[in-house]
Amino acid sequence: MPVSDSADRAADIETDAAGTADETDESLPINELFYSLQGEGTLAGVPSVFVRTSGCNLRCWFCDSYHTSWEPTHARMRLAEILAEIESYDADHVVLTGGEPLLHEGSMTLLEALDERGYHTTVETNGTIYRDAPIDLASVSPKLASSTPTPDRDPTGDGEWETRHETDRIDMDALARLVERYDVQLKFVVTDDGDMPEISELLADLRAAADVPVSDDDVLLMPEGATRDRLAETRARVAELAMEYGFRYTPRLHVDLWNDAPET
Ligand SMILES: C[S@@+](CC[C@H](N)C(=O)[O-])C[C@H]1O[C@@H](n2cnc3c(N)ncnc32)[C@H](O)[C@@H]1O
Ligand SMILES: Nc1nc2[nH]cc(C(=O)O)c2c(=O)[nH]1
Ligand code: SF4
Ligand SMILES: [Mg+2]
């Protein structure tokens, strides 16, 4: 269901730039909540309920969830409401995403409640924030330099977020703690060959920083593209790069199936 425009729910909250103001651990700013197939990563194809929080600490120029980052909109939902809606679907898997879900204290309470109810939980995160929570799969998508909203690529056109995004997009300590604590997939958004040296360097740094091994099997290359047309331009080369480097390739199944429709 689309919640960002629903009238029967709590009014939108005032937010800071990351969309995180007015936090409690008993509610969350929800942009959308829907049932679909996991479209990305090692669980692609698994029927899952998606809970999309609003607010992000980064601003990727290509963000396919514009209304959680560049222009955050949401309704604040109580955890009891969120759980009831999740339980209304016949699914064992829940994907908590955003925006950046680990910004919110309420995400921890939700994950604990889902764990108690026996759900498998995947958290989609940009890897800049470490939190201790019952997460079955941490789907970490560290952001490369090619994600930075330079003035020519900023969707709002002013480049205001360039410096902050560039400064904050990698936190090696948070990344190391995430891979040490959780079952992790590292899902890099790849535009072209130019992204590969940075991925290799980042993996070398992460392997030096973390106390656990990071297998190439846990590294996934995902073509950049929020639409079928854009994916048609990027995916073949990204698939070749996965083979060249010995990483996995992940499709964007939901984009193939439903293009850029909301709630998919
Ligand atoms: C909208 S983000 C939300 C979670 C978190 N903020 C993050 O970036 O991982 C969900 C996933 O979509 C990916 N993504 C966003 N825009 C994309 C695009 N244009 N092409 C490919 N993947 C994209 C992100 O890298 C991430 O793996
Ligand atoms: N079907 C589908 N699969 C997804 N996997 C990760 C998504 C996300 O936006 O985090 C996503 C999404 O938005 N839709
Ligand atoms: S980190 Fe995720 S939600 Fe935030 S701007 Fe980038 S892709 Fe969008
Ligand atoms: Mg998505």
Side-chain angles (χ1 to χ4, degrees), residues 40 52 64-65 254:
E40 308 170 8
R52 188 180 307 283
D64 65 4
S65 302
H254 50 313

Side-chain angles (χ1 to χ4, degrees), residues 46-95:
V46 176
S48 307
V49 180
F50 288 80
V51 180
R52 188 180 307 283
T53 59
S54 191
C56 190
N57 58 332
L58 300 182
R59 292 290 186 278
C60 305
W61 67 267
F62 53 60
C63 183
D64 65 4
S65 302
Y66 186 87
H67 289 287
T68 68
S69 53
W70 289 97
E71 198 180 285
T73 57
H74 48 259
R76 186 156 279 272
M77 286 177 74
R78 291 190 305 279
L79 292 186
E81 285 180 277
I82 297 172
L83 285 165
E85 187 134 345
I86 291 170
E87 286 174 329
S88 74
Y89 299 104
D90 185 18
D92 306 323
H93 287 249
V94 176
V95 181

Side-chain angles (χ1 to χ4, degrees), residues 226-262:
T227 62
R228 285 179 187 142
D229 285 351
R230 175 62 179 156
L231 273 187
E233 294 172 357
T234 55
R235 67 179 158 216
R237 184 59 194 145
V238 175
E240 286 170 5
L241 287 168
M243 292 171 72
E244 274 174 45
Y245 282 78
F247 299 139
R248 292 191 184 189
Y249 171 86
T250 172
R252 285 171 58 73
L253 196 56
H254 50 313
V255 181
D256 293 337
L257 288 166
W258 302 298
N259 201 13
D260 55 356

Side-chain angles (χ1 to χ4, degrees), residues 3-15 19 21-22 28-31 54 67 71-77:
V3 297
S4 53
D5 57 358
S6 62
D8 57 340
R9 294 175 189 278
D12 284 5
I13 55 164
E14 292 298 314
T15 56
D22 193 24
L28 277 169
I30 299 295
N31 174 264
S54 191
H67 289 287
E71 198 180 285
T73 57
H74 48 259
R76 186 156 279 272
M77 286 177 74

Side-chain angles (χ1 to χ4, degrees), residues 213-230:
V214 177
S215 165
D216 281 356
D217 256 358
D218 299 327
V219 179
L220 290 74
L221 305 188
M222 178 161 71
E224 191 277 307
T227 62
R228 285 179 187 142
D229 285 351
R230 175 62 179 156

